[in-house]
Amino acid sequence: MTLKAWLAMGIAMALGTAQAQEGHEVAVGTHLAPGTGYVSVARFDDAPAKDPRHLLMVFEQDGMGGIPLWESRDGGDHWTHLMDITDQAHKGNAKWQLRWQPHLMRMQRASGGLAAGTLILSANATGNDEHEHVGTQDLQVYASTDEGKTWTYRGSVIKGGGKPSDKDNKGVWETNIHVLDDGRMVAYYSSEQHKAEGYNQVLAHKLSTDGGKTWGKEVLDVAIPGGVERPGMAIVERLGDGRYAMTYENIDGPQNGQVQIKFSRDGLDFGDPQRHGDPVITQSGAWPAACPVIRWFPVGGPEGVIVVSAERAGGGGDEGGRAFYFNTASGRGPWWEVRAPVQKLTGNIHAGWTQALLQRDDGSFLHVTSSSSPQDPLSPRLNEILYNTAPLRFDRYEAEDAAMTNAVPVPDRHASNLRKARLGAGSQARLRFQINSTAGLHTLRLRFADVGIAATPALRVNGAVVGGQSNYSDPTAKASGWNVLTVKAPLLAGFNTIDVDGAAYVQDVDYLQLDGDADAP
């Protein structure tokens, strides 16, 4: 059979498998409560009340009941509902309530009269008109100094108005609050109040020197001219090297919803607002889309790891958004996928709309997100909040994310990310992995399988063929037929090019692993 025929068969099998899987899609995770989306978790992981297993969580719920606050005392294994936090600025007005885009954070340093350890909640309060349609918005800030037992209104970052569906809406959305090194509080948010200037929506920030009571002038961080592209949902994270990284969705951009990333030294200057930044994208062209959240963790290598979650994906990525994208080079170079602990169901855009991820003391990761209802997946009102804890492998590089020559991605429920790459026969077929590494001798493990006729692909490291290869059956495989090719090779400090060349016959490749335990899941 010709290479073209083999690849065509791979595509046909991919479509068939995808349809089969879609018909039997099952959510993975523990049900917490009804919730439409936008999960945010804070942890008591430093002084004065250091208890890393003590967590607080907020999310959106349907209706006018306020923002639900949940607590865990065991690192996220079990949760208790504490209260619904309600709008104090419009207390007694039934048409007003705290409703959308809650963000919960715990201050690690004092700010404007608030002590370190204070909890800060920001959320979008909405006011309904006489027809019970949203007519006014208020991005409010609340503080708690008693571990979430009581909350005090601090102030308003910005107010907006108009129906969200109106083209001339002046809406404001999605606060994300941090305390800078000098103690000033910064609030990042989205604004539709610059349409007359040619911006569909902008990302901006304001500063507060009095702990969120009052806020200074607006500064634009992302503003794409033309009136079409709609950057939104900015989340900012402090990296291990001290920089700040901002991710956002670019709705109605060249790739609708594609996640972009920008960097800042001080958390205030993200460069020219009219520049998008850089896309989060794999070598094969897969990219996360919509509602991104960025986190940094001190694992995965000397530079730590940046992890981005999103509601969905494009470019061949999982359209259901059930994988994270990670980068172990401080944002340089390509991104890679890893399966998310919660496997949510899709069906409406609120399923997976802003997610929470944190690392526990045992090295595992707690993931919380919203999932659609199997009974009525189109209705966000029936969404549920799911949570799950699992390890995340940042030493495995998925074959479907590598640069492909004469290869195609193929769904496979027995592959580590439910997908693999079907690599054509011959030296012209290749998977190329650009991997950041430390210098020295490393163990490379390639998980692959025969497609009808046995063959072994070849590994090249920085252009040189690697010898001393051993080949054995994978003892941890859930399905028979997987093999692991193991080699030792010297790698350079920084990026290395690792090629998997086609064998005499077609092969399926699952992943390339750098060091780590071969028997681990």
Side-chain angles (χ1 to χ4, degrees), residues 85-121:
I85 306 171
T86 57
D87 184 350
Q88 297 179 12
H90 304 91
K91 189 174 182 179
N93 188 337
K95 293 186 178 297
W96 274 91
Q97 189 53 278
L98 282 179
R99 289 185 64 192
W100 293 337
Q101 304 117 35
H103 174 236
L104 185 64
M105 58 87 72
R106 185 167 174 268
M107 293 169 38
Q108 296 190 358
R109 60 184 62 84
S111 178
L114 295 175
T118 299
L119 290 163
I120 297 293
L121 171 71

PDB file of all heavy atoms in Angstrom, residues 85-121:
ATOM      1  N   ILE A  85     -22.179  35.008  48.526  1.00  0.00           N
ATOM      2  CA  ILE A  85     -21.752  36.389  48.726  1.00  0.00           C
ATOM      3  C   ILE A  85     -22.611  37.276  47.831  1.00  0.00           C
ATOM      4  O   ILE A  85     -22.665  37.085  46.613  1.00  0.00           O
ATOM      5  CB  ILE A  85     -20.266  36.553  48.406  1.00  0.00           C
ATOM      6  CG1 ILE A  85     -19.438  35.552  49.218  1.00  0.00           C
ATOM      7  CG2 ILE A  85     -19.801  37.975  48.705  1.00  0.00           C
ATOM      8  CD1 ILE A  85     -17.986  35.483  48.823  1.00  0.00           C
ATOM      9  N   THR A  86     -23.273  38.263  48.428  1.00  0.00           N
ATOM     10  CA  THR A  86     -24.246  39.074  47.712  1.00  0.00           C
ATOM     11  C   THR A  86     -23.798  40.526  47.595  1.00  0.00           C
ATOM     12  O   THR A  86     -22.877  40.975  48.282  1.00  0.00           O
ATOM     13  CB  THR A  86     -25.618  39.006  48.402  1.00  0.00           C
ATOM     14  OG1 THR A  86     -25.476  39.423  49.765  1.00  0.00           O
ATOM     15  CG2 THR A  86     -26.158  37.575  48.370  1.00  0.00           C
ATOM     16  N   ASP A  87     -24.469  41.245  46.722  1.00  0.00           N
ATOM     17  CA  ASP A  87     -24.149  42.639  46.410  1.00  0.00           C
ATOM     18  C   ASP A  87     -24.495  43.536  47.596  1.00  0.00           C
ATOM     19  O   ASP A  87     -25.662  43.693  47.950  1.00  0.00           O
ATOM     20  CB  ASP A  87     -24.952  43.046  45.164  1.00  0.00           C
ATOM     21  CG  ASP A  87     -24.633  44.461  44.690  1.00  0.00           C
ATOM     22  OD1 ASP A  87     -23.938  45.205  45.415  1.00  0.00           O
ATOM     23  OD2 ASP A  87     -25.078  44.814  43.585  1.00  0.00           O
ATOM     24  N   GLN A  88     -23.456  44.135  48.202  1.00  0.00           N
ATOM     25  CA  GLN A  88     -23.677  45.041  49.323  1.00  0.00           C
ATOM     26  C   GLN A  88     -23.849  46.490  48.873  1.00  0.00           C
ATOM     27  O   GLN A  88     -24.493  47.283  49.568  1.00  0.00           O
ATOM     28  CB  GLN A  88     -22.513  44.949  50.305  1.00  0.00           C
ATOM     29  CG  GLN A  88     -22.356  43.586  50.950  1.00  0.00           C
ATOM     30  CD  GLN A  88     -21.178  43.520  51.907  1.00  0.00           C
ATOM     31  OE1 GLN A  88     -20.593  44.552  52.275  1.00  0.00           O
ATOM     32  NE2 GLN A  88     -20.805  42.314  52.312  1.00  0.00           N
ATOM     33  N   ALA A  89     -23.291  46.835  47.709  1.00  0.00           N
ATOM     34  CA  ALA A  89     -23.401  48.211  47.229  1.00  0.00           C
ATOM     35  C   ALA A  89     -24.832  48.571  46.840  1.00  0.00           C
ATOM     36  O   ALA A  89     -25.218  49.742  46.879  1.00  0.00           O
ATOM     37  CB  ALA A  89     -22.472  48.420  46.038  1.00  0.00           C
ATOM     38  N   HIS A  90     -25.615  47.559  46.450  1.00  0.00           N
ATOM     39  CA  HIS A  90     -27.014  47.790  46.075  1.00  0.00           C
ATOM     40  C   HIS A  90     -27.930  46.951  46.962  1.00  0.00           C
ATOM     41  O   HIS A  90     -28.927  46.406  46.502  1.00  0.00           O
ATOM     42  CB  HIS A  90     -27.239  47.455  44.606  1.00  0.00           C
ATOM     43  CG  HIS A  90     -26.329  48.193  43.667  1.00  0.00           C
ATOM     44  ND1 HIS A  90     -25.114  47.692  43.264  1.00  0.00           N
ATOM     45  CD2 HIS A  90     -26.471  49.408  43.075  1.00  0.00           C
ATOM     46  CE1 HIS A  90     -24.537  48.561  42.442  1.00  0.00           C
ATOM     47  NE2 HIS A  90     -25.331  49.604  42.312  1.00  0.00           N
ATOM     48  N   LYS A  91     -27.586  46.860  48.225  1.00  0.00           N
ATOM     49  CA  LYS A  91     -28.322  46.011  49.158  1.00  0.00           C
ATOM     50  C   LYS A  91     -29.787  46.429  49.232  1.00  0.00           C
ATOM     51  O   LYS A  91     -30.104  47.622  49.329  1.00  0.00           O
ATOM     52  CB  LYS A  91     -27.683  46.089  50.547  1.00  0.00           C
ATOM     53  CG  LYS A  91     -28.245  45.082  51.537  1.00  0.00           C
ATOM     54  CD  LYS A  91     -27.458  45.124  52.847  1.00  0.00           C
ATOM     55  CE  LYS A  91     -27.983  44.069  53.822  1.00  0.00           C
ATOM     56  NZ  LYS A  91     -27.211  44.066  55.102  1.00  0.00           N
ATOM     57  N   GLY A  92     -30.671  45.447  49.158  1.00  0.00           N
ATOM     58  CA  GLY A  92     -32.091  45.724  49.227  1.00  0.00           C
ATOM     59  C   GLY A  92     -32.737  45.969  47.883  1.00  0.00           C
ATOM     60  O   GLY A  92     -33.969  46.026  47.787  1.00  0.00           O
ATOM     61  N   ASN A  93     -31.914  46.117  46.823  1.00  0.00           N
ATOM     62  CA  ASN A  93     -32.442  46.315  45.473  1.00  0.00           C
ATOM     63  C   ASN A  93     -32.503  44.961  44.777  1.00  0.00           C
ATOM     64  O   ASN A  93     -31.483  44.389  44.414  1.00  0.00           O
ATOM     65  CB  ASN A  93     -31.557  47.287  44.694  1.00  0.00           C
ATOM     66  CG  ASN A  93     -32.151  47.683  43.349  1.00  0.00           C
ATOM     67  OD1 ASN A  93     -32.985  46.976  42.782  1.00  0.00           O
ATOM     68  ND2 ASN A  93     -31.720  48.822  42.836  1.00  0.00           N
ATOM     69  N   ALA A  94     -33.699  44.446  44.579  1.00  0.00           N
ATOM     70  CA  ALA A  94     -33.869  43.098  44.029  1.00  0.00           C
ATOM     71  C   ALA A  94     -33.403  42.975  42.594  1.00  0.00           C
ATOM     72  O   ALA A  94     -33.233  41.861  42.093  1.00  0.00           O
ATOM     73  CB  ALA A  94     -35.340  42.687  44.130  1.00  0.00           C
ATOM     74  N   LYS A  95     -33.204  44.105  41.923  1.00  0.00           N
ATOM     75  CA  LYS A  95     -32.764  44.054  40.525  1.00  0.00           C
ATOM     76  C   LYS A  95     -31.245  43.984  40.388  1.00  0.00           C
ATOM     77  O   LYS A  95     -30.724  43.843  39.286  1.00  0.00           O
ATOM     78  CB  LYS A  95     -33.307  45.266  39.759  1.00  0.00           C
ATOM     79  CG  LYS A  95     -34.821  45.246  39.604  1.00  0.00           C
ATOM     80  CD  LYS A  95     -35.295  46.370  38.713  1.00  0.00           C
ATOM     81  CE  LYS A  95     -36.812  46.302  38.525  1.00  0.00           C
ATOM     82  NZ  LYS A  95     -37.226  45.047  37.842  1.00  0.00           N
ATOM     83  N   TRP A  96     -30.532  44.096  41.518  1.00  0.00           N
ATOM     84  CA  TRP A  96     -29.068  44.051  41.503  1.00  0.00           C
ATOM     85  C   TRP A  96     -28.574  42.799  42.226  1.00  0.00           C
ATOM     86  O   TRP A  96     -29.143  42.388  43.229  1.00  0.00           O
ATOM     87  CB  TRP A  96     -28.479  45.283  42.191  1.00  0.00           C
ATOM     88  CG  TRP A  96     -28.324  46.457  41.285  1.00  0.00           C
ATOM     89  CD1 TRP A  96     -29.231  47.454  41.065  1.00  0.00           C
ATOM     90  CD2 TRP A  96     -27.194  46.761  40.481  1.00  0.00           C
ATOM     91  NE1 TRP A  96     -28.744  48.354  40.173  1.00  0.00           N
ATOM     92  CE2 TRP A  96     -27.489  47.965  39.786  1.00  0.00           C
ATOM     93  CE3 TRP A  96     -25.965  46.141  40.258  1.00  0.00           C
ATOM     94  CZ2 TRP A  96     -26.592  48.560  38.903  1.00  0.00           C
ATOM     95  CZ3 TRP A  96     -25.070  46.736  39.387  1.00  0.00           C
ATOM     96  CH2 TRP A  96     -25.380  47.920  38.716  1.00  0.00           C
ATOM     97  N   GLN A  97     -27.459  42.233  41.712  1.00  0.00           N
ATOM     98  CA  GLN A  97     -26.837  41.103  42.395  1.00  0.00           C
ATOM     99  C   GLN A  97     -25.435  40.858  41.841  1.00  0.00           C
ATOM    100  O   GLN A  97     -25.145  41.145  40.670  1.00  0.00           O
ATOM    101  CB  GLN A  97     -27.659  39.833  42.223  1.00  0.00           C
ATOM    102  CG  GLN A  97     -27.216  38.656  43.074  1.00  0.00           C
ATOM    103  CD  GLN A  97     -27.113  38.997  44.547  1.00  0.00           C
ATOM    104  OE1 GLN A  97     -26.107  39.563  44.991  1.00  0.00           O
ATOM    105  NE2 GLN A  97     -28.166  38.689  45.311  1.00  0.00           N
ATOM    106  N   LEU A  98     -24.543  40.340  42.701  1.00  0.00           N
ATOM    107  CA  LEU A  98     -23.258  39.806  42.244  1.00  0.00           C
ATOM    108  C   LEU A  98     -23.540  38.542  41.444  1.00  0.00           C
ATOM    109  O   LEU A  98     -24.122  37.596  41.977  1.00  0.00           O
ATOM    110  CB  LEU A  98     -22.353  39.464  43.427  1.00  0.00           C
ATOM    111  CG  LEU A  98     -21.612  40.587  44.137  1.00  0.00           C
ATOM    112  CD1 LEU A  98     -20.799  40.014  45.284  1.00  0.00           C
ATOM    113  CD2 LEU A  98     -20.707  41.335  43.184  1.00  0.00           C
ATOM    114  N   ARG A  99     -23.095  38.504  40.180  1.00  0.00           N
ATOM    115  CA  ARG A  99     -23.519  37.384  39.345  1.00  0.00           C
ATOM    116  C   ARG A  99     -22.387  36.734  38.553  1.00  0.00           C
ATOM    117  O   ARG A  99     -22.330  35.518  38.449  1.00  0.00           O
ATOM    118  CB  ARG A  99     -24.597  37.857  38.353  1.00  0.00           C
ATOM    119  CG  ARG A  99     -25.922  38.173  38.994  1.00  0.00           C
ATOM    120  CD  ARG A  99     -26.958  38.512  37.947  1.00  0.00           C
ATOM    121  NE  ARG A  99     -27.240  37.377  37.074  1.00  0.00           N
ATOM    122  CZ  ARG A  99     -27.929  37.484  35.948  1.00  0.00           C
ATOM    123  NH1 ARG A  99     -28.394  38.647  35.542  1.00  0.00           N
ATOM    124  NH2 ARG A  99     -28.153  36.405  35.211  1.00  0.00           N
ATOM    125  N   TRP A 100     -21.532  37.528  37.933  1.00  0.00           N
ATOM    126  CA  TRP A 100     -20.673  36.990  36.888  1.00  0.00           C
ATOM    127  C   TRP A 100     -19.186  37.145  37.203  1.00  0.00           C
ATOM    128  O   TRP A 100     -18.762  38.044  37.922  1.00  0.00           O
ATOM    129  CB  TRP A 100     -20.955  37.702  35.557  1.00  0.00           C
ATOM    130  CG  TRP A 100     -22.307  37.435  34.985  1.00  0.00           C
ATOM    131  CD1 TRP A 100     -23.122  36.364  35.227  1.00  0.00           C
ATOM    132  CD2 TRP A 100     -23.034  38.272  34.067  1.00  0.00           C
ATOM    133  NE1 TRP A 100     -24.289  36.466  34.508  1.00  0.00           N
ATOM    134  CE2 TRP A 100     -24.253  37.618  33.792  1.00  0.00           C
ATOM    135  CE3 TRP A 100     -22.756  39.489  33.433  1.00  0.00           C
ATOM    136  CZ2 TRP A 100     -25.210  38.157  32.922  1.00  0.00           C
ATOM    137  CZ3 TRP A 100     -23.693  40.022  32.573  1.00  0.00           C
ATOM    138  CH2 TRP A 100     -24.910  39.362  32.315  1.00  0.00           C
ATOM    139  N   GLN A 101     -18.389  36.261  36.597  1.00  0.00           N
ATOM    140  CA  GLN A 101     -16.918  36.334  36.531  1.00  0.00           C
ATOM    141  C   GLN A 101     -16.229  36.596  37.875  1.00  0.00           C
ATOM    142  O   GLN A 101     -15.435  37.530  38.007  1.00  0.00           O
ATOM    143  CB  GLN A 101     -16.493  37.415  35.527  1.00  0.00           C
ATOM    144  CG  GLN A 101     -17.052  37.259  34.148  1.00  0.00           C
ATOM    145  CD  GLN A 101     -17.948  38.413  33.742  1.00  0.00           C
ATOM    146  OE1 GLN A 101     -17.723  39.555  34.104  1.00  0.00           O
ATOM    147  NE2 GLN A 101     -18.984  38.107  32.979  1.00  0.00           N
ATOM    148  N   PRO A 102     -16.529  35.796  38.896  1.00  0.00           N
ATOM    149  CA  PRO A 102     -15.841  36.000  40.172  1.00  0.00           C
ATOM    150  C   PRO A 102     -14.362  35.623  40.088  1.00  0.00           C
ATOM    151  O   PRO A 102     -13.992  34.661  39.423  1.00  0.00           O
ATOM    152  CB  PRO A 102     -16.596  35.078  41.123  1.00  0.00           C
ATOM    153  CG  PRO A 102     -17.089  33.968  40.241  1.00  0.00           C
ATOM    154  CD  PRO A 102     -17.432  34.627  38.930  1.00  0.00           C
ATOM    155  N   HIS A 103     -13.534  36.396  40.759  1.00  0.00           N
ATOM    156  CA  HIS A 103     -12.111  36.063  40.895  1.00  0.00           C
ATOM    157  C   HIS A 103     -11.746  36.189  42.366  1.00  0.00           C
ATOM    158  O   HIS A 103     -11.963  37.235  42.992  1.00  0.00           O
ATOM    159  CB  HIS A 103     -11.239  37.011  40.068  1.00  0.00           C
ATOM    160  CG  HIS A 103      -9.775  36.793  40.295  1.00  0.00           C
ATOM    161  ND1 HIS A 103      -8.919  37.795  40.701  1.00  0.00           N
ATOM    162  CD2 HIS A 103      -9.004  35.672  40.202  1.00  0.00           C
ATOM    163  CE1 HIS A 103      -7.701  37.311  40.827  1.00  0.00           C
ATOM    164  NE2 HIS A 103      -7.727  36.023  40.535  1.00  0.00           N
ATOM    165  N   LEU A 104     -11.198  35.100  42.922  1.00  0.00           N
ATOM    166  CA  LEU A 104     -10.840  35.045  44.333  1.00  0.00           C
ATOM    167  C   LEU A 104      -9.333  34.950  44.461  1.00  0.00           C
ATOM    168  O   LEU A 104      -8.706  34.117  43.806  1.00  0.00           O
ATOM    169  CB  LEU A 104     -11.507  33.832  44.985  1.00  0.00           C
ATOM    170  CG  LEU A 104     -11.351  33.647  46.494  1.00  0.00           C
ATOM    171  CD1 LEU A 104     -12.011  34.794  47.242  1.00  0.00           C
ATOM    172  CD2 LEU A 104     -11.947  32.312  46.926  1.00  0.00           C
ATOM    173  N   MET A 105      -8.747  35.797  45.288  1.00  0.00           N
ATOM    174  CA  MET A 105      -7.299  35.743  45.517  1.00  0.00           C
ATOM    175  C   MET A 105      -7.011  36.077  46.976  1.00  0.00           C
ATOM    176  O   MET A 105      -7.809  36.721  47.654  1.00  0.00           O
ATOM    177  CB  MET A 105      -6.546  36.692  44.585  1.00  0.00           C
ATOM    178  CG  MET A 105      -6.944  38.160  44.682  1.00  0.00           C
ATOM    179  SD  MET A 105      -6.049  39.113  45.962  1.00  0.00           S
ATOM    180  CE  MET A 105      -4.440  39.238  45.231  1.00  0.00           C
ATOM    181  N   ARG A 106      -5.850  35.605  47.435  1.00  0.00           N
ATOM    182  CA  ARG A 106      -5.395  35.878  48.797  1.00  0.00           C
ATOM    183  C   ARG A 106      -4.125  36.709  48.720  1.00  0.00           C
ATOM    184  O   ARG A 106      -3.157  36.330  48.070  1.00  0.00           O
ATOM    185  CB  ARG A 106      -5.134  34.569  49.545  1.00  0.00           C
ATOM    186  CG  ARG A 106      -4.769  34.750  51.007  1.00  0.00           C
ATOM    187  CD  ARG A 106      -4.841  33.417  51.742  1.00  0.00           C
ATOM    188  NE  ARG A 106      -4.362  33.540  53.107  1.00  0.00           N
ATOM    189  CZ  ARG A 106      -3.108  33.332  53.477  1.00  0.00           C
ATOM    190  NH1 ARG A 106      -2.209  32.962  52.578  1.00  0.00           N
ATOM    191  NH2 ARG A 106      -2.735  33.464  54.730  1.00  0.00           N
ATOM    192  N   MET A 107      -4.158  37.870  49.369  1.00  0.00           N
ATOM    193  CA  MET A 107      -3.038  38.805  49.289  1.00  0.00           C
ATOM    194  C   MET A 107      -1.806  38.250  49.993  1.00  0.00           C
ATOM    195  O   MET A 107      -1.877  37.871  51.164  1.00  0.00           O
ATOM    196  CB  MET A 107      -3.441  40.154  49.905  1.00  0.00           C
ATOM    197  CG  MET A 107      -4.496  40.895  49.116  1.00  0.00           C
ATOM    198  SD  MET A 107      -5.195  42.327  49.994  1.00  0.00           S
ATOM    199  CE  MET A 107      -3.767  42.996  50.820  1.00  0.00           C
ATOM    200  N   GLN A 108      -0.690  38.223  49.293  1.00  0.00           N
ATOM    201  CA  GLN A 108       0.559  37.755  49.883  1.00  0.00           C
ATOM    202  C   GLN A 108       1.390  38.888  50.451  1.00  0.00           C
ATOM    203  O   GLN A 108       2.444  38.655  51.039  1.00  0.00           O
ATOM    204  CB  GLN A 108       1.360  36.978  48.846  1.00  0.00           C
ATOM    205  CG  GLN A 108       0.649  35.709  48.394  1.00  0.00           C
ATOM    206  CD  GLN A 108       1.529  34.814  47.555  1.00  0.00           C
ATOM    207  OE1 GLN A 108       2.673  35.131  47.264  1.00  0.00           O
ATOM    208  NE2 GLN A 108       1.005  33.664  47.168  1.00  0.00           N
ATOM    209  N   ARG A 109       0.922  40.105  50.276  1.00  0.00           N
ATOM    210  CA  ARG A 109       1.564  41.274  50.890  1.00  0.00           C
ATOM    211  C   ARG A 109       0.492  42.314  51.179  1.00  0.00           C
ATOM    212  O   ARG A 109      -0.600  42.274  50.598  1.00  0.00           O
ATOM    213  CB  ARG A 109       2.663  41.847  49.996  1.00  0.00           C
ATOM    214  CG  ARG A 109       2.198  42.311  48.638  1.00  0.00           C
ATOM    215  CD  ARG A 109       3.365  42.777  47.785  1.00  0.00           C
ATOM    216  NE  ARG A 109       4.309  41.706  47.531  1.00  0.00           N
ATOM    217  CZ  ARG A 109       4.171  40.804  46.551  1.00  0.00           C
ATOM    218  NH1 ARG A 109       3.123  40.864  45.745  1.00  0.00           N
ATOM    219  NH2 ARG A 109       5.043  39.861  46.376  1.00  0.00           N
ATOM    220  N   ALA A 110       0.775  43.230  52.082  1.00  0.00           N
ATOM    221  CA  ALA A 110      -0.188  44.259  52.470  1.00  0.00           C
ATOM    222  C   ALA A 110      -0.447  45.216  51.312  1.00  0.00           C
ATOM    223  O   ALA A 110       0.416  45.434  50.457  1.00  0.00           O
ATOM    224  CB  ALA A 110       0.313  45.025  53.685  1.00  0.00           C
ATOM    225  N   SER A 111      -1.639  45.802  51.322  1.00  0.00           N
ATOM    226  CA  SER A 111      -1.997  46.749  50.269  1.00  0.00           C
ATOM    227  C   SER A 111      -3.052  47.713  50.787  1.00  0.00           C
ATOM    228  O   SER A 111      -4.142  47.296  51.191  1.00  0.00           O
ATOM    229  CB  SER A 111      -2.536  46.010  49.038  1.00  0.00           C
ATOM    230  OG  SER A 111      -2.939  46.909  48.025  1.00  0.00           O
ATOM    231  N   GLY A 112      -2.721  48.992  50.780  1.00  0.00           N
ATOM    232  CA  GLY A 112      -3.689  50.039  51.088  1.00  0.00           C
ATOM    233  C   GLY A 112      -4.445  49.851  52.384  1.00  0.00           C
ATOM    234  O   GLY A 112      -5.664  50.047  52.436  1.00  0.00           O
ATOM    235  N   GLY A 113      -3.766  49.459  53.448  1.00  0.00           N
ATOM    236  CA  GLY A 113      -4.412  49.277  54.740  1.00  0.00           C
ATOM    237  C   GLY A 113      -4.929  47.877  54.978  1.00  0.00           C
ATOM    238  O   GLY A 113      -5.348  47.564  56.105  1.00  0.00           O
ATOM    239  N   LEU A 114      -4.911  47.031  53.967  1.00  0.00           N
ATOM    240  CA  LEU A 114      -5.303  45.634  54.133  1.00  0.00           C
ATOM    241  C   LEU A 114      -4.054  44.795  54.401  1.00  0.00           C
ATOM    242  O   LEU A 114      -3.061  44.909  53.681  1.00  0.00           O
ATOM    243  CB  LEU A 114      -6.019  45.117  52.888  1.00  0.00           C
ATOM    244  CG  LEU A 114      -7.361  45.760  52.557  1.00  0.00           C
ATOM    245  CD1 LEU A 114      -7.884  45.216  51.229  1.00  0.00           C
ATOM    246  CD2 LEU A 114      -8.372  45.530  53.674  1.00  0.00           C
ATOM    247  N   ALA A 115      -4.119  43.939  55.403  1.00  0.00           N
ATOM    248  CA  ALA A 115      -2.954  43.151  55.795  1.00  0.00           C
ATOM    249  C   ALA A 115      -2.749  41.979  54.834  1.00  0.00           C
ATOM    250  O   ALA A 115      -3.673  41.529  54.145  1.00  0.00           O
ATOM    251  CB  ALA A 115      -3.139  42.624  57.218  1.00  0.00           C
ATOM    252  N   ALA A 116      -1.508  41.490  54.793  1.00  0.00           N
ATOM    253  CA  ALA A 116      -1.228  40.263  54.053  1.00  0.00           C
ATOM    254  C   ALA A 116      -2.117  39.141  54.583  1.00  0.00           C
ATOM    255  O   ALA A 116      -2.367  39.047  55.785  1.00  0.00           O
ATOM    256  CB  ALA A 116       0.240  39.885  54.186  1.00  0.00           C
ATOM    257  N   GLY A 117      -2.602  38.301  53.684  1.00  0.00           N
ATOM    258  CA  GLY A 117      -3.503  37.233  54.061  1.00  0.00           C
ATOM    259  C   GLY A 117      -4.968  37.569  53.841  1.00  0.00           C
ATOM    260  O   GLY A 117      -5.824  36.678  53.902  1.00  0.00           O
ATOM    261  N   THR A 118      -5.265  38.848  53.572  1.00  0.00           N
ATOM    262  CA  THR A 118      -6.644  39.247  53.292  1.00  0.00           C
ATOM    263  C   THR A 118      -7.131  38.585  52.005  1.00  0.00           C
ATOM    264  O   THR A 118      -6.399  38.491  51.021  1.00  0.00           O
ATOM    265  CB  THR A 118      -6.752  40.776  53.165  1.00  0.00           C
ATOM    266  OG1 THR A 118      -6.343  41.375  54.394  1.00  0.00           O
ATOM    267  CG2 THR A 118      -8.173  41.200  52.839  1.00  0.00           C
ATOM    268  N   LEU A 119      -8.354  38.129  52.013  1.00  0.00           N
ATOM    269  CA  LEU A 119      -8.981  37.578  50.817  1.00  0.00           C
ATOM    270  C   LEU A 119      -9.666  38.683  50.026  1.00  0.00           C
ATOM    271  O   LEU A 119     -10.339  39.545  50.609  1.00  0.00           O
ATOM    272  CB  LEU A 119     -10.012  36.518  51.190  1.00  0.00           C
ATOM    273  CG  LEU A 119      -9.472  35.202  51.758  1.00  0.00           C
ATOM    274  CD1 LEU A 119     -10.586  34.431  52.449  1.00  0.00           C
ATOM    275  CD2 LEU A 119      -8.842  34.356  50.664  1.00  0.00           C
ATOM    276  N   ILE A 120      -9.481  38.654  48.715  1.00  0.00           N
ATOM    277  CA  ILE A 120     -10.103  39.640  47.832  1.00  0.00           C
ATOM    278  C   ILE A 120     -10.991  38.908  46.829  1.00  0.00           C
ATOM    279  O   ILE A 120     -10.539  37.978  46.147  1.00  0.00           O
ATOM    280  CB  ILE A 120      -9.060  40.482  47.075  1.00  0.00           C
ATOM    281  CG1 ILE A 120      -8.209  41.292  48.055  1.00  0.00           C
ATOM    282  CG2 ILE A 120      -9.724  41.399  46.049  1.00  0.00           C
ATOM    283  CD1 ILE A 120      -8.978  42.372  48.799  1.00  0.00           C
ATOM    284  N   LEU A 121     -12.242  39.315  46.767  1.00  0.00           N
ATOM    285  CA  LEU A 121     -13.167  38.816  45.758  1.00  0.00           C
ATOM    286  C   LEU A 121     -13.569  39.965  44.854  1.00  0.00           C
ATOM    287  O   LEU A 121     -14.018  41.010  45.338  1.00  0.00           O
ATOM    288  CB  LEU A 121     -14.424  38.220  46.405  1.00  0.00           C
ATOM    289  CG  LEU A 121     -15.556  37.871  45.422  1.00  0.00           C
ATOM    290  CD1 LEU A 121     -15.189  36.656  44.581  1.00  0.00           C
ATOM    291  CD2 LEU A 121     -16.879  37.651  46.153  1.00  0.00           C
TER     292      LEU A 121
END
